[in-house]
Amino acid sequence: MYSSLDSRLPPKTTRVCLYEDGTELSDEYLMSLADHTELVLLSPGQTWAGRIVTDFHRFLNAIYMGQPEFIEAARKIQSDGQDPQMRKIIQDIVQNLDDNAEAEERDDDEAWFQGVEKRFKNKSSYMRESCKRRIRSYITEVQNFNVDRAVKDEYEELVQTMHNALSAVDFNGSYFDRSEVEATRLCTAHGWFSCQGAFDQSDCLSNHSINPYSNQESRILFSSWNLDHVIEKKRTILPCLNEAVNKSKGRQINWKYFFDLLFTTKNLKLVSIVCHKKTAHKLECDEDMVYTEVPAKRLKT
């Protein structure tokens, strides 16, 4: 610390720098500093690039010590630092490194399972169930959609058909289950998920990714990611289904088309909350896909 009350200046052979950014100070500038400014005294041949650069140098050197020591060193830097931005950067790095993604069983990663029901013995089973809960919420919305009384029975029969089809594929829980085959999951075999971008984009422009299998914080954060309907469920699909039932006039409704729109990745995109756009999508169902049959014309007798 330097105080303007000090009467002695450092020897001429010693250079003085600001601790924060490494700026070298002249005698004149040194005398104008505020009280309690942090300084570094350098002997000939010594250098000081500033606290932030030096802390990062310590941080990067810790890599060669092995991951546990690396994380410990990073946390030490984080706790010692005063710059909120730097603390946030290091926090994000630590979060990505401080994981146990390879562990699958509860006994091998108790920290990951904090707050998770005891019935889940491994990570994949929990992640599978979390996906099934989302899909079940969609079929519940379909079941509770307000339709005209005149077609209620027909509508309920249609919904039951879709419910049975969902049960047959275990409510598409495989989407979040890393132990599933590649074709039926949305993550890598190690559990990494990538944002697929907003409904009106082909890819995520920010390359968001997350591994909810890695640690408890990532598991909780992943719950904010959305399985977003490209053609919207409430605004478009359900009203279209209701209209199809009302206007069927003997035609068979293409329930598989609506099933795909409501419950499968043919119309669902996994999207980070940052990329999730809540504005109206203004996309319509394909009218040519609503029905599978056209009633035969009656012959005149």
Side-chain angles (χ1 to χ4, degrees), residues 100-106 108-109 112-113 123 178 213:
N100 196 8
E102 297 306 314
E104 173 67 13
E105 302 303 316
R106 191 177 196 119
D108 296 328
D109 194 355
W112 191 92
F113 286 90
K123 295 178 181 179
R178 68 178 178 181
Y213 287 84

Side-chain angles (χ1 to χ4, degrees), residues 81-286:
Q82 300 298 317
D83 185 346
Q85 183 178 14
M86 178 165 177
R87 293 181 67 178
K88 179 62 170 64
I89 291 171
I90 296 178
Q91 177 186 344
D92 291 343
I93 295 174
V94 169
Q95 179 183 336
N96 286 330
L97 291 174
D98 188 14
D99 68 57
N100 196 8
E102 297 306 314
E104 173 67 13
E105 302 303 316
R106 191 177 196 119
D107 292 341
D108 296 328
D109 194 355
E110 285 288 347
W112 191 92
F113 286 90
Q114 289 182 13
V116 173
E117 297 174 64
K118 293 292 185 182
R119 64 189 177 98
F120 296 106
K121 304 304 180 183
N122 56 62
K123 295 178 181 179
S124 293
S125 64
Y126 174 82
M127 293 300 298
R128 187 180 191 91
E129 183 60 29
S130 70
C131 185
K132 289 166 64 175
R133 282 197 295 266
R134 298 193 192 199
I135 301 298
R136 285 193 191 101
S137 71
Y138 300 160
I139 189 65
T140 298
E141 287 185 64
V142 179
Q143 291 168 333
N144 295 334
F145 190 74
N146 188 27
V147 297
D148 296 338
R149 183 174 298 179
V151 296
K152 188 174 181 61
D153 290 344
E154 184 180 354
Y155 182 83
E156 289 180 349
E157 182 179 351
L158 192 66
V159 174
Q160 186 59 51
T161 299
M162 289 194 281
H163 189 280
N164 293 342
L166 269 180
S167 296
V169 294
D170 200 27
F171 294 87
N172 285 331
S174 60
Y175 289 164
F176 292 178
D177 185 349
R178 68 178 178 181
S179 68
E180 278 285 349
V181 297
E182 184 176 0
T184 64
R185 65 177 188 249
L186 292 176
C187 60
T188 68
H190 296 287
W192 280 99
F193 292 82
S194 297
C195 174
Q196 297 175 326
F199 74 93
D200 56 353
Q201 297 171 343
S202 59
D203 296 295
C204 173
L205 301 180
S206 301
N207 296 317
H208 294 120
S209 62
I210 189 171
N211 189 341
Y213 287 84
S214 62
N215 52 53
Q216 182 194 32
E217 185 172 351
S218 295
R219 169 176 64 78
I220 294 172
L221 183 60
F222 183 69
S223 64
S224 68
W225 283 46
N226 294 274
L227 276 175
D228 190 28
H229 289 85
V230 178
I231 300 176
E232 294 174 281
K233 176 175 75 273
K234 290 183 178 179
R235 287 191 177 107
T236 306
I237 303 173
L238 294 182
C240 181
L241 179 58
N242 179 43
E243 183 180 14
V245 175
N246 275 283
K247 297 181 177 180
S248 62
K249 296 180 180 179
R251 291 175 291 181
Q252 183 176 343
I253 294 173
N254 186 0
W255 67 267
K256 290 183 179 180
Y257 171 67
F258 288 100
F259 179 91
D260 285 343
L261 291 182
L262 289 163
F263 310 118
T264 78
T265 52
K266 291 183 179 180
N267 189 51
L268 291 172
K269 296 183 74 175
L270 183 65
V271 183
S272 163
I273 190 172
V274 179
C275 291
H276 185 211
K277 296 181 180 179
K278 295 186 177 180
T279 56
H281 295 188
K282 297 181 180 179
L283 299 172
E284 300 296 331
C285 296
D286 186 347

